[in-house]
Amino acid sequence: MSFSSSISLPPTPKALLDLIKLEAGPASMPDSRQALWISLAAYFLTEAGGQLVSADILPSISYGVASAVLLAALTFGALVLTGTRERLQQTLISLASTGAVIGFVSMVLSLMVAQIFPPPMPAMKLVGFVLFPLVLWKFTVFLWIYRHAGMRFIPAFALGAIYIGFTLLILSPLLVRVFNLL
């Protein structure tokens, strides 16, 4: 009696897992409008959900919308500039779906840390420390996807760093402050 040690997944989840493991490029993802909208919606939901751990609902929803729109706009601009606009749909599906998976893991870990350490403890600082490897992994996956979408290394590195740095360090605190003023 022989047992297979590998699990057989359908093509799209396998492609997503291969992207997260840095073993495939965006061309392995389906090229459909429906997959694009589903992956962008999942990205929006996980980004907004991740913010709900430490912020109110309005800044969280705004952050989810802004980060998804910014991801699409920066990717579109970068691929137009590099002359690989025909790869836009698969690249966006890859970025949004991998970002959603990493965002979901980040959200679950944030909730776990928030439950373990009650509010008098500086839980948000600890969450930031615990989730920093996930931020680096998201950056690495985005760099990988941009690189395999036809961009050179330095522009792909810069685009990934600018997007993740802007959304985490500027956009998130800015939206919280703006909505606190209202």
Side-chain angles (χ1 to χ4, degrees):
M1 181 180 255
S2 82
F3 292 101
S4 176
S5 64
S6 66
I7 297 173
S8 178
L9 292 173
T12 302
K14 182 179 180 346
L16 181 59
L17 185 60
D18 287 346
L19 270 170
I20 291 173
K21 293 186 324 185
L22 306 179
E23 293 177 354
S28 64
M29 294 299 282
D31 191 11
S32 73
R33 186 76 54 172
Q34 182 181 14
L36 175 64
W37 289 114
I38 290 170
S39 61
L40 283 173
Y43 186 72
F44 154 74
L45 289 172
T46 57
E47 290 292 301
Q51 290 295 306
L52 275 173
V53 174
S54 62
D56 292 332
I57 193 159
L58 236 48
S60 299
I61 290 172
S62 300
Y63 178 79
V65 168
S67 61
V69 167
L70 186 62
L71 179 68
L74 285 176
T75 303
F76 175 77
L79 293 181
V80 165
L81 287 174
T82 59
T84 55
R85 187 176 183 275
E86 68 279 355
R87 297 180 184 176
L88 176 66
Q89 192 161 294
Q90 284 180 309
T91 303
L92 265 178
I93 290 169
S94 299
L95 290 167
S97 58
T98 57
V101 170
I102 294 169
F104 181 75
V105 170
S106 174
M107 183 174 53
V108 168
L109 288 175
S110 296
L111 289 171
M112 288 173 55
V113 170
Q115 291 299 317
I116 292 171
F117 298 103
M121 302 282 291
M124 285 303 112
K125 289 184 180 183
L126 185 59
V127 166
F129 177 74
V130 168
L131 297 182
F132 186 68
L134 282 176
V135 171
L136 289 178
W137 189 250
K138 184 175 181 179
F139 166 72
T140 304
V141 170
F142 277 25
L143 170 63
W144 177 266
I145 292 169
Y146 281 132
R147 183 72 182 102
H148 284 82
M151 295 178 69
R152 294 180 183 258
F153 178 77
I154 298 297
F157 185 93
L159 188 61
I162 288 169
Y163 172 75
I164 291 176
F166 179 78
T167 56
L168 291 178
L169 301 175
I170 297 173
L171 185 63
S172 177
L174 178 68
L175 287 173
V176 169
R177 286 193 178 127
V178 166
F179 281 100
N180 282 340
L181 292 175
L182 299 178

